[in-house]
Amino acid sequence: ESSSSSSPVTPRKSVEVSATTPRGKFDLTLHESTGIVLRNKKEEVVAVPSSSVATVIVFPKAEDCRRATSNKRKKGPPKRPGNLVLLVLKKEEADGVQFRGKSLKQICFQLPQSILPESSPSDGEESDDGGGTMVLEPVRERDIELEWVDLLGKTFGVQPEKVVLVSNS
């Protein structure tokens, strides 16, 4: 666990994600321009500084894409496929990001189908809680995937167009 003087290790806002690498459920917290923190129920922490990330790829989950195309005959609103995020870590930084004593080359987790929760309604813009933790207000009529791309870009200090968004359409 890394200690940072500018942003808290235990932030006020997080969202639960299911990760495939490392495997398990984690509370994901985004810190503007500094990276992410994944924390599981056992309080094990994976801190990913933005300087360690080479590439951010957002792509659809394969089984959700197959399910979405096979449900064309069913009535009601279509279920949106879930997206995964793959963080490819820089080779020279690979020893810096570890989980249970093992160096990670990549981190992959499923995005929730909503944005980080916030209690006060507003126009959908992000704010800083004073401790460097990014919080997103409820989003109206905007594409959730694009909102996550924007948020991930800000988290890793890159322009949203530098975040690779893979689409099935």
Side-chain angles (χ1 to χ4, degrees), residues 1-21:
E1 189 171 320
S2 64
S3 60
S4 172
S5 59
S6 63
S7 58
V9 176
T10 308
R12 294 187 319 155
K13 301 291 177 191
S14 64
V15 64
E16 187 175 83
V17 297
S18 180
T20 57
T21 309

Side-chain angles (χ1 to χ4, degrees), residues 89-132:
L89 304 178
K90 294 178 182 174
K91 290 179 182 172
E92 60 272 11
E93 300 277 339
D95 290 335
V97 179
Q98 296 188 350
F99 183 67
R100 296 182 178 158
K102 294 181 182 176
S103 295
L104 299 174
K105 294 179 184 174
Q106 62 192 21
I107 294 174
C108 188
F109 57 89
Q110 184 168 1
L111 287 175
Q113 297 214 0
S114 62
I115 301 296
L116 295 176
E118 177 60 58
S119 55
S120 62
S122 97
D123 61 356
E125 293 303 312
E126 70 277 349
S127 62
D128 189 317
D129 71 355

Side-chain angles (χ1 to χ4, degrees), residues 16-17 22-28 37-46 99-100:
E16 187 175 83
V17 297
R23 193 144 186 84
K25 290 199 182 275
F26 292 86
D27 286 329
L28 167 71
V37 174
L38 295 166
R39 182 184 308 271
N40 66 12
K41 301 287 185 219
K42 296 178 183 178
E43 294 297 316
E44 296 171 309
V45 174
V46 179
F99 183 67
R100 296 182 178 158

Side-chain angles (χ1 to χ4, degrees), residues 15-90:
V15 64
E16 187 175 83
V17 297
S18 180
T20 57
T21 309
R23 193 144 186 84
K25 290 199 182 275
F26 292 86
D27 286 329
L28 167 71
T29 309
L30 306 172
H31 297 271
E32 187 167 5
S33 298
T34 59
I36 66 169
V37 174
L38 295 166
R39 182 184 308 271
N40 66 12
K41 301 287 185 219
K42 296 178 183 178
E43 294 297 316
E44 296 171 309
V45 174
V46 179
V48 184
S50 58
S51 62
S52 296
V53 177
T55 308
V56 180
I57 303 170
V58 179
F59 61 98
K61 194 170 150 189
E63 57 267 26
D64 285 350
C65 290
R66 282 192 295 276
R67 191 176 311 126
T69 58
S70 68
N71 286 344
K72 287 185 178 177
R73 294 183 193 157
K74 293 187 179 181
K75 293 182 180 180
K79 184 173 168 131
R80 285 183 39 248
N83 278 340
L84 295 168
V85 173
L86 176 64
L87 303 176
V88 180
L89 304 178
K90 294 178 182 174

